[in-house]
Amino acid sequence: QVQLVESGGGLVQAGGSLRVSCAASGRTFSINAMGWFRQAPGKEREFVAAIPWNGGRPYYADSVKGRFTISRDNAKNTVYLQMSSLKPEDAAVYYCAATYTSYYDTRPAAYNYWGQGTQVTVSS
């Protein structure tokens, strides 16, 4: 089992920046990749970004490319999502997820473990 705990969400003005973190514990050696997803009220959960756990390039949804940066600190078993130039449409609950069965996959179903989510609110 892998446990994921997100932190760092909050309220930010449009154009501002925010960083959310995801701390992993448990059988982290089994992780292939970590991802961030988001879900706004009334919408489906959507892929934001992901990064292989032990090396490899990150990849992003087109909607956040150039504005968001995903990174990892393996020593701390933590993945970060740095969000810049935030827009009101970025507001959502952001979820961290881990997969031991996939690498470059943007489908929520490909991820085996999920955090509880952290709210990001962007005011216009």
Side-chain angles (χ1 to χ4, degrees):
Q1 294 289 325
V2 173
Q3 293 78 41
L4 303 173
V5 179
E6 299 101 333
S7 61
L11 172 65
V12 63
Q13 286 189 329
S17 298
L18 194 66
R19 189 180 79 164
V20 291
S21 303
C22 174
S25 60
R27 297 170 62 88
T28 58
F29 61 86
S30 67
I31 297 173
N32 285 350
M34 298 283 292
W36 285 97
F37 291 77
R38 65 187 182 187
Q39 188 166 19
K43 295 188 176 181
E44 292 187 353
R45 191 167 298 189
E46 65 172 356
F47 172 76
V48 176
I51 189 167
W53 189 241
N54 290 311
R57 297 179 65 181
Y59 49 107
Y60 300 91
D62 288 342
S63 59
V64 306
K65 205 171 291 184
R67 300 188 298 122
F68 290 12
T69 301
I70 187 172
S71 62
R72 63 178 182 271
D73 185 335
N74 291 97
K76 296 181 178 180
N77 285 337
T78 300
V79 173
Y80 305 96
L81 184 68
Q82 177 69 48
M83 301 179 285
S84 303
S85 302
L86 281 160
K87 306 175 181 179
E89 53 263 41
D90 293 318
V93 177
Y94 281 70
Y95 295 92
C96 173
T99 176
Y100 59 79
T101 56
S102 300
Y103 280 97
Y104 293 96
D105 205 316
T106 62
R107 300 171 298 134
Y111 289 75
N112 309 104
Y113 303 104
W114 292 85
Q116 80 287 355
T118 185
Q119 178 71 50
V120 172
T121 303
V122 183
S123 63
S124 56

